[in-house]
Amino acid sequence: MKKMPLMKEHFMLVGILIFCTIEDARSLDGHYTLPNVTHLTDLFHHQTLNQAFLTSFGSSNIHFGNNGSNVQLTLNKTSGSGLISLNKYNYGFFSSAIKLPPGYSSGVVVAFYMSNADLFPHNHDEIDFEFLGHENGKQWILQTNIYGNGKTNIGREEKFRLWFDPTEEFHQYSIIWNSHHIVFLVDNIPVREVENIGVMSAVYPSKPMSVYATIWDGSEWATNGGKNPVNYKYEPFVASFGEMEMEGCVWISARSVPSCSKGGQEGPSTVDPVEGEDFVKLSQQQKMGMDWARNKFMIYSYCKDPGRFPVLPPECRMR
Ligand SMILES: *[C@@H]1O[C@H](CO)[C@@H](O)[C@H](O)[C@H]1NC(C)=O
Ligand SMILES: *[C@@H]1O[C@H](CO)[C@@H](O)[C@H](O)[C@H]1NC(C)=O
Ligand SMILES: *[C@@H]1O[C@H](CO)[C@@H](O)[C@H](O)[C@H]1NC(C)=O
């Protein structure tokens, strides 16, 4: 859709430029020169986690720190653990800084996601960041996925390697969700955009959702298709979450108008903070950042898996 014939030469040029930059982008110490993108995460205030979230499961494995500005979620042999946001949101900007468990982590899943499976068990929506553990602790895999309107028969997974060691420090994982598109960002660099157009509109998440932060045992599938289950010799597995941002339209009930706010300063309004120009479409700079991330770090896309889909889902054929 995006690559109109007129633009071809322009894209080739940009492609060559990107290629050249990438060639020397990796310095000797293994660090990358990152694309320059707007820091959307700077626009929102940080939530107090122990006020903005409730226990979803495993309360004894949830430990708030620094007066609620961060939380450690533990998976051990007894239990995983998870938080669910007090509020439900109908569109917004959702972001957390996350540090993943170090060391051996096969089978472990850490997730930062939105869902409304509790409200809409038969036609639920989901927007997922899932981190899949690895026997080499540095090599966690980031999986993104969306489900819309209960259509869980098609998983729209994409998987990425990360350009840093996610167990060493906190990195920001963010979701833009509005009526135009869903964007997944890592340290403010877009890695995936799902637009609300064409055949996607029928399965586009557009009902209120809660925000979740969880850690759990995904032995059956998370690592190498389930070949590497969790090894509790290495417990506890501890994931840390902080710099939590959840800003958008809070949904009160089916008959009320969502109450929207931004920055925690203005009072409630009905203006969605993610309907502004920074949010309704990606800038040229962000698109280049996304190309960088996808060309270099994407290792799986459901759209490129004919073994799984002899007939590819229709949105894959649009491109
Ligand atoms: C990054 O982009 C911004 C906005 O386009 C620009 O003002 C700034 O100079 C850029 N920084 C670098 C290091 O290129
Ligand atoms: C901790 O948070 C509470 C509630 O937000 C606040 O009233 C209190 O002053 C904070 N304490 C410290 C030491 O920051
Ligand atoms: C798991 O953690 C909980 C809470 O910290 C603790 O009570 C329990 O003993 C731990 N279980 C194991 C198997 O270590």
Side-chain angles (χ1 to χ4, degrees):
M1 282 297 287
K2 269 183 250 155
K3 294 184 183 175
M4 289 172 288
L6 253 177
M7 301 287 280
K8 235 179 205 157
E9 275 164 36
H10 176 69
F11 268 86
M12 267 176 65
L13 228 148
V14 171
I16 289 165
L17 277 174
I18 289 175
F19 184 74
C20 295
T21 349
I22 283 169
E23 277 305 282
D24 37 350
R26 199 174 175 163
S27 63
L28 289 177
D29 61 357
H31 289 94
Y32 293 92
T33 306
L34 302 180
N36 180 16
V37 287
T38 353
H39 286 203
L40 294 176
T41 48
D42 291 350
L43 302 178
F44 301 97
H45 87 288
H46 297 162
Q47 303 272 338
T48 305
L49 283 150
N50 54 4
Q51 291 174 358
F53 284 88
L54 302 168
T55 297
S56 172
F57 62 99
S59 59
S60 61
N61 279 353
I62 300 174
H63 298 285
F64 293 101
N66 199 11
N67 207 17
S69 65
N70 57 52
V71 65
Q72 294 197 325
L73 301 183
T74 297
L75 164 68
N76 66 9
K77 203 159 191 171
T78 315
S79 177
S81 54
L83 297 171
I84 174 173
S85 62
L86 199 58
N87 290 327
K88 296 180 195 302
Y89 299 86
N90 211 347
Y91 299 144
F93 185 81
F94 307 91
S95 183
S96 183
I98 304 173
K99 192 167 131 194
L100 298 172
Y104 185 98
S105 59
S106 285
V108 178
V109 179
V110 173
F112 175 57
Y113 69 103
M114 309 194 60
S115 172
N116 52 26
D118 51 347
L119 274 184
F120 304 97
H122 304 296
N123 59 339
H124 94 283
D125 307 296
E126 240 182 81
I127 304 176
D128 306 327
F129 271 119
E130 290 172 317
F131 302 89
L132 312 179
H134 195 277
E135 57 271 24
N136 171 353
K138 293 177 200 297
Q139 293 176 24
W140 282 78
I141 287 174
L142 169 63
Q143 172 165 287
T144 62
N145 196 11
I146 72 165
Y147 290 125
N149 265 329
K151 299 287 191 308
T152 52
N153 55 331
I154 298 178
R156 295 185 164 79
E157 296 91 353
E158 287 188 351
K159 294 185 190 182
F160 300 84
R161 291 187 299 117
L162 294 165
W163 47 90
F164 47 78
D165 175 357
T167 69
E168 206 165 71
E169 333 185 300
F170 284 89
H171 289 270
Q172 286 163 318
Y173 305 91
S174 317
I175 294 165
I176 297 172
W177 174 42
N178 59 29
S179 59
H180 305 273
H181 59 182
I182 292 164
V183 185
F184 295 88
L185 307 99
V186 176
D187 287 338
N188 287 298
I189 300 168
V191 299
R192 179 178 188 180
E193 179 187 30
V194 178
E195 288 178 281
N196 185 8
I197 52 171
V199 288
M200 275 312 292
S201 295
V203 291
Y204 192 81
S206 45
K207 301 189 293 295
M209 293 198 265
S210 307
V211 180
Y212 292 82
T214 59
I215 185 166
W216 42 281
D217 184 327
S219 286
E220 308 87 67
W221 64 277
T223 310
N224 295 327
K227 282 194 219 105
N228 302 66
V230 176
N231 185 341
Y232 285 100
K233 193 172 93 187
Y234 299 101
E235 73 166 12
F237 302 97
V238 182
S240 305
F241 291 73
E243 296 177 25
M244 181 65 69
E245 300 177 344
M246 300 188 291
E247 210 73 62
C249 297
V250 173
W251 183 84
I252 315 291
S253 74
R255 261 170 291 165
S256 69
V257 177
S259 166
C260 309
S261 74
K262 181 176 175 180
Q265 291 129 17
E266 300 152 38
S269 81
T270 50
V271 180
D272 187 335
V274 293
E275 286 294 331
E277 64 171 328
D278 279 346
F279 298 97
V280 299
K281 64 184 175 73
L282 296 177
S283 67
Q284 208 50 45
Q285 220 179 20
Q286 284 174 316
K287 282 184 188 164
M288 286 179 67
M290 187 163 75
D291 287 344
W292 175 85
R294 294 177 73 79
N295 290 336
K296 231 173 151 40
F297 300 98
M298 191 165 82
I299 53 171
Y300 175 85
S301 169
Y302 74 106
C303 275
K304 294 181 179 149
D305 192 349
R308 184 173 162 209
F309 301 109
V311 177
L312 286 177
E315 72 272 16
C316 301
R317 283 174 270 145
M318 265 161 48
R319 295 173 190 180

